[in-house]
Amino acid sequence: MALVQIDNVSRIYQTGEVQVKALQDVTLSIDEAAFVTFVGPSGSGKTTMLNLIGCLDKPTKGKVFIGKEQVDTFDRRQRAAFRGSTLGFIFQAFNLFQVLTAYENVEYPLVMIKNESISKRKEKVLKVLESVGMLDQKDKFPDQLSGGQKQRIAVARALVTQPKLVLADEPTANLDKKSAVNVIRLMRNMRDEFKTTFIFSTHDPGVMKEAEVIHTLEDGKLV
Amino acid sequence: MIRIFKIALRNLMRYKRRTLLTSMLITLGVLMVILFSGLAGSFKAIMIGQITDSNLAQMQIHKKGYVSSIDTSPLNLTINQKGYKTLEKVFKENPDIEAYSPRIKLSAMLSNFKETTNVRLNAIDPKKEIKVCPNVSDRMKFSGSEIPDILLKQGEIIIPEKLAKGLKIKIGDPVVLVANNKDGSVNGLNFTVAGVIESLVGPQGKEGYMHIKDAQSLLRMEQPETIEIALRIKEFDKLDDVYTDLESALAEFKNKKGKPAFEIHTWETLSPFANIAKMIDFMTISMKLIMIAIVLISVLNVMMMSVYERVREIGTMSAIGTAPGKIMGLFLAEGLSLGFISTLVGNIIGIVGIYFLNIYKIPFAFGRNTIYLLSPTINLSELVWVTAIVLLISVFATLQPAYKASKMEPVDALGHV
C-alpha cells in the first residue's frame, strides 16, 4: 500500500528573472515500510523532492499525498503539526541542539511537540537510544560525540515519536565510509524494528547499495 | 514550561561573555535606580521633614485671601474666636489629624534702645507648636546648651540670628517691640531675648518667635484672634487625602458674602522646596527611563544576535514540527530569563548597598550645626515595580526577534549558511 503518492509534481524557483525547474512533472509512489533512496548528481532535485515529501516546501504544480492527507494544500501551521505527528527528519549536518545532551536531544520532540508525560518520555527515549546503541552516551553533549554517534542520536530523535515516515537528506555526507554504511544499516534495522518508511538521498555508491528501492533524478526528472 | 526555561538558560550560557556583559549592564541599571531612589528619597524625606517639622507645618489654614497677600502680613484677615472653635471641631472630628497650633503672623519694629529695625514674627502657643512642629527648636540657640521645655514664656522673644548680630543683641538682653494693630494705632511692649534662630530658605524662614498672648496684647486684640492654624497629621503619606477631606469640610463655611471663609494649603504650595522635591522625583523617573533604555537596547541586541546566529537551529526546530508559537516562546523565555536574573542580581546588590549606606551613613549639613545623615530605604513596592518593568521591557525587546524566529520557513532556515 502506498504511503507517499506524488502526482505530476513540479517545483519551479524564481530567482530574479531566472526560473529554475528543480522538479518537472514527477509522479511516483512509495510503499509503507519501504527503504528508498533518491540518487542523482548535485542539482538533480533530490533535496527538493525530500522537502516536498517532508512538507517543508509546496509544489508549484501537482499533488503530494502522505497516507490519506493531501499535504500540498496545508497552510504553515498545519504543515508544522503534520511534520511533528507523522514525519521524522535526519539531516546531513546532524543538526543536534548543542545545549542539550544526547538524551535531551532525543527527548526534544516528545517535550516540545507531543507533550508527553515524563515517565512515558523516559521509557521511549531509553528504548530508542538502546536501539541505536547510544544508551551509554546519553549524558554527553553533541560536541563530545563523533560524527557517527551524532547521526545515531539524530536517527533516534527522528524515530522517538514513532513517525510513519523518516526523511534523511544526505545523512552520510559528513561521515567516513565505515560510519556512513553503519548509519544506513542502522536506519534499515530501525525500519525493520519499527516498520517505519525511510526515504533518503545520497550520491554515495556504497550507501546506494544498501537501499531497497532507488529512484534516480536528473535535471528534476525521474529517469 | 520548565523545560523551555531550562533550554533558554542553557542557550544564554552558550555565549557566556555576551550574556554576562548584557546581564551586568541590566544589573547596573537596576542598581542605579535602587540606590538613586533610596538616596534621593531619603534626602527628600529629610528635607521635607525639616521644613514641615521645624517651622512651616504640614498644612496651614488661613482666612480666605491671606496667602495671596502674605508678604504684607495683613492683620485684618484673622480668624476670630468663633471661627477658631468651629475649626477645632472639624479637626477633632478628623481622626487623621494629630495636632494643630494657632499662630499670629506680624511685622513689628524691634529696638535695642539704640537702633531699631523691622522684624517678622510668628506668635505661637509653645505647647501646641511643639506638637505640630517637633523640630522647631532645631534652628534655635538658647543661653544654655539645653533646649528649654517650653520654648518661650510670655514676655520672651526669639529673634533671627542675623538680626541679633546686626543689632549686637545678646540672649537675655531687653528689647522693645512696637507694632501697628489692624486699626493703625501703635503699641509697644518690652521683651527679653530668650534665644536666636537661624534663618531658613522659604517664606517663613526668617521669622522670630513670640508668645501668642503677647502678640494679642501687642496688637490690642480684644478677643483672641488667630491668623494661621498649623496642622500635623498622623501619617504623612495620607497628606493629599486629609487635605481633600479638610478642603471639602472647610468649603461648607462661608463668609457674609457667601464665599468660602477659609483656605487650606499643604506645605507643597507654601514652600519653594516643593519644586526641588518635584525635581528629585523627575530625576528618579529619568533614572528609571535610562534603565528602561539600557534593558531595551541590550536585550534587543542580544536576542537579535541570538536569532541571527541560530537560524539553522530554528530551521531544525521548525522542520521537526515545533509549532511557531513554541519557537517564539523559547526566545521569549530566553529574554525573560536574562531580564529576570539580571534584575534579581541588581535587586540583591541594591538591597546590600542600601544596607551598607545605612551603616556608613552619608552626612550632609542643613541648618544650624545640624548634620543630617542620609538613611536610604527602598520599599518592596519599588523593588517589585523595578523588577516588573525590567521583565516587561525584556519581553517587549525580545518580541521582534522571537517573532522573526517563529516566522522563519524551515526550508530557508535549514539552508542558511
Side-chain angles (χ1 to χ4, degrees), chain A residues 124-176:
Chain A
K124 285 184 179 179
V125 173
L126 293 178
K127 186 183 172 194
V128 77
L129 278 172
E130 193 177 13
S131 298
V132 298
M134 289 295 290
L135 196 55
D136 56 337
Q137 308 289 321
K138 68 182 171 64
D139 295 324
K140 288 188 174 172
F141 284 92
D143 57 6
Q144 296 170 309
L145 300 171
S146 69
Q149 287 174 321
K150 284 180 193 171
Q151 203 58 302
R152 281 169 177 270
I153 296 297
V155 171
R157 182 177 67 185
L159 287 169
V160 75
T161 56
Q162 294 169 312
K164 286 182 183 169
L165 173 63
V166 171
L167 295 143
D169 189 10
E170 305 264 9
T172 58
N174 284 358
L175 301 175
D176 58 75

Side-chain angles (χ1 to χ4, degrees), chain B residues 72-76 78 104-110 116-119 121 176-189 210 214-221 227:
Chain B
T72 58
S73 301
L75 293 169
N76 58 334
T78 55
I104 292 174
K105 304 282 181 157
L106 68 151
S107 293
M109 299 295 285
L110 177 89
T116 303
T117 190
N118 289 323
V119 64
L121 291 157
V176 174
L177 274 183
V178 178
N180 283 59
N181 70 1
K182 63 180 167 188
D183 300 325
S185 66
V186 179
N187 192 22
L189 286 175
M210 65 187 294
D214 290 337
Q216 285 162 351
S217 301
L218 184 67
L219 297 172
R220 287 181 170 151
M221 290 175 172
I227 281 184

